Every structure is written in structure tokens, then in C-alpha cells.
């Protein structure tokens, strides 16, 4: 998922920053994750140009970046729309993760003495800090990133690429359909998984990971339907 480089400035907008397509990407991403932009909302190029005060090329580059991250869908002859994963897609994403992640953490636990796990420990501290501040977007991003860091720790670039794509899609699904109480991975489950890996308890690490994924999926409210909006300037807060 995209990083959040403008965290400290979300309350005010520097007009010079609106000309950067990365700023546009961040604004749209944040609005989707905070459930202010509903699935299937049309992102009109003309409206976005007016909202951010930029030309079409910058808007198109931003939309291409968002499309590559699975946040929006570019539909031929229709334009850009906020992605709308359905229940079947959500189930498929979690099924794929169930095939990959449990054996992944088992492997990490079996070889934990050869792996530097301090990055994961530091990452959990960042998650805790975001929860204390109740930063929903950052919580979702960091929660997903923990799982990509687990994959990265295997040093298998193909597993990492697959997990990054699955986690990105999961974060979108959670952002769109997770309730405010289930906006992220439950508070202490990442810590418990990491502790099991550190203690070389491969079976426990695998069991905790399975329970963890079930917990995330069980917190989704896939029947919830937001109505698409059209007041992009107000929603994106760029004026």
C-alpha cells in the first residue's frame, strides 16, 4: 500500500503539494481507507483536475498508480472508479493467504536463529503507536505491512511479491468493509505470532497465523453497501 508521507499535515493543505501526483494518490487512498469514498464512486478526471488544481496528465498518472495498487479500477470507455471487491473475491484472497502464510511462519520459526527479526519487533512498536493515536489509515497500512515483512524475512522474492499483492488487496477490503472496531489486525496477535517464531515453536506460530487470518476475515461486513458520492472536492479535502 502507499506510504503516508503527509501524516503530520492532514489537517491543512499546502497548495504547492497538490500538484504532485503522489499527493493525489495519498489523498484518494486515505479517503478510501477511511470509508469516505465508497466503492464504485466515479473519479472523474475533470473533477479531480478542478479539485487539485492540476492538469489531466498529473491526474492520469495518479490514477494509473492507484490502479496498479488495486485501489481503483480503470474501465474502458467509462473512466476510473473506486474498486469494489465482492464477497467471492474477498474469500479468494483469504483462501490464497491461508495457502501461503501458515507454512511461511512455520519456516521462519524453524530457522529463526538465522533471521534478523528486530525489524518485525520495531514494526510492532509502530503499530502500537498508531493505535494509541487512533490513526485508522496508518493502522490498516502497518497491519498489512507486518505480513509483507514476514514474507520478506524468508528472502524468497517470489513469495514476497505474491504476499505484497495479497496484502494490498486485503487492506483495501478491510478499509472498505471492516467496521471501525475491526479496522486492522487485532491488537496483540502480531506480537504473539512473532513470539512463537522467536521461540522456535513452529506449530504454535502456524496455528496463531491461521486463527489470525480467520479473525480478520470474520470482522468484515461484506453486506455493507455505501452509496457512491460525487462531491470529490469536499471528500478529498484538497480545496
Amino acid at each position: 500500500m502507499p506510504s503516508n508521507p503527509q501524516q503530520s499535515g492532514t489537517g491543512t493543505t499546502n497548495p504547492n503539494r497538490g500538484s504532485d501526483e503522489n499527493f493525489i494518490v495519498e489523498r484518494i487512498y486515505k479517503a478510501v481507507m477511511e470509508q469516505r469514498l465508497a466503492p464504485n464512486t466515479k473519479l472523474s478526471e475533470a473533477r479531480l483536475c478542478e479539485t487539485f488544481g492540476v492538469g489531466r496528465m498529473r491526474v492520469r498518472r495518479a490514477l494509473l498508480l492507484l490502479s496498479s495498487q488495486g485501489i481503483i479500477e480503470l474501465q474502458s470507455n467509462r473512466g476510473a472508479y473506486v474498486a469494489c471487491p465482492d464477497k467471492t473475491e474477498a474469500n479468494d484472497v483469504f483462501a490464497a493467504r491461508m495457502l501461503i502464510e501458515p507454512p511461511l511462519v512455520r519456516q521462519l520459526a524453524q530457522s529463526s536463529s538465522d533471521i534478523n527479526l528486530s525489524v518485525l519487533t520495531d514494526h510492532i512498536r509502530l503499530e502500537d503507536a498508531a493505535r494509541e493515536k487512533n490513526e485508522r489509515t496508518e493502522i490498516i497500512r502497518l497491519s498489512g505491512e507486518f505480513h509483507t515483512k514476514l514474507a520478506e524475512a524468508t528472502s524468497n522474492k517470489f513469495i514476497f511479491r505474491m504476499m505484497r499483492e495479497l496484502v494490498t488487496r486485503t487492506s483495501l477490503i478491510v478499509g472498505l468493509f471492516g467496521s471501525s472496531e475491526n479496522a486492522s489486525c487485532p491488537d496483540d496477535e502480531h506480537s504473539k505470532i512473532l513470539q512463537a517464531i522467536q521461540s522456535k515453536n513452529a506449530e504454535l506460530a502456524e496455528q496463531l497465523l491461521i486463527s489470525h487470518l480467520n479473525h480478520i476475515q470474520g470482522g468484515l461486513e461484506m453486506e455493507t453497501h455505501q452509496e457512491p458520492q460525487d462531491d470529490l472536492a469536499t471528500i478529498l479535502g484538497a480545496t
Side-chain angles (χ1 to χ4, degrees):
M1 304 293 290
S3 61
N4 195 9
Q6 284 90 25
Q7 289 174 56
S8 60
T10 53
T12 59
T13 302
N14 180 336
N16 295 324
R17 285 159 53 192
S19 62
D20 181 358
E21 53 261 28
N22 290 319
F23 174 75
I24 299 172
V25 168
E26 177 60 25
R27 283 288 187 177
I28 293 174
Y29 168 70
K30 191 176 193 306
V32 171
M33 291 297 109
E34 292 179 348
Q35 298 181 335
R36 291 185 288 110
L37 267 180
N40 284 327
T41 295
K42 182 174 176 60
L43 299 175
S44 160
E45 285 187 9
R47 289 280 186 90
L48 292 175
C49 288
E50 182 180 348
T51 296
F52 291 102
V54 298
R56 284 186 181 268
M57 289 305 298
R58 288 193 185 276
V59 165
R60 286 173 182 171
R61 283 197 292 265
L63 293 177
L64 284 171
L65 285 169
L66 288 162
S67 176
S68 71
Q69 295 158 3
I71 305 300
I72 69 166
E73 295 175 354
L74 297 177
Q75 301 181 13
S76 179
N77 299 322
R78 296 191 65 219
Y81 291 79
V82 176
C84 187
D86 58 19
K87 189 173 184 178
T88 298
E89 181 175 332
N91 289 339
D92 287 347
V93 167
F94 280 96
R97 292 186 65 171
M98 280 291 188
L99 290 172
I100 296 172
E101 285 193 82
L104 185 156
V105 295
R106 173 179 282 276
Q107 176 189 334
L108 290 178
Q110 290 170 341
S111 56
S112 61
S113 57
D114 302 321
I115 299 170
N116 181 4
L117 298 173
S118 62
V119 172
L120 288 163
T121 303
D122 293 341
H123 187 83
I124 287 174
R125 292 196 188 99
L126 294 177
E127 289 186 41
D128 292 340
R131 285 192 178 91
E132 287 179 8
K133 297 177 182 177
N134 197 30
E135 296 177 338
R136 175 186 168 85
T137 309
E138 191 69 354
I139 293 169
I140 293 174
R141 184 185 70 82
L142 289 169
S143 293
E145 196 172 284
F146 174 81
H147 293 267
T148 60
K149 287 184 179 298
L150 285 174
E152 191 172 12
T154 67
S155 298
N156 185 318
K157 63 182 179 181
F158 298 103
I159 292 292
F160 173 70
R161 286 175 187 171
M162 285 189 291
M163 278 304 306
R164 183 171 58 183
E165 181 177 348
L166 287 169
V167 166
T168 296
R169 204 62 180 170
T170 304
S171 295
L172 174 63
I173 291 167
V174 171
L176 291 173
F177 300 107
S179 68
S180 57
E181 292 79 17
N182 294 290
S184 65
C185 300
D187 291 8
D188 60 347
E189 292 186 4
H190 284 173
S191 296
K192 290 179 179 178
I193 291 168
L194 181 57
Q195 288 167 9
I197 292 171
Q198 290 171 325
S199 63
K200 299 185 178 182
N201 191 332
E203 184 175 350
L204 178 60
E206 190 172 34
Q207 290 174 349
L208 288 171
L209 198 287
I210 291 171
S211 175
H212 179 57
L213 290 179
N214 284 331
H215 198 162
I216 300 170
Q217 188 173 11
L220 300 178
E221 298 175 355
M222 295 300 296
E223 305 307 319
T224 299
H225 294 287
Q226 293 174 270
E227 291 298 321
Q229 305 105 322
D230 58 10
D231 189 359
L232 295 182
T234 299
I235 294 168
L236 297 175
T239 56

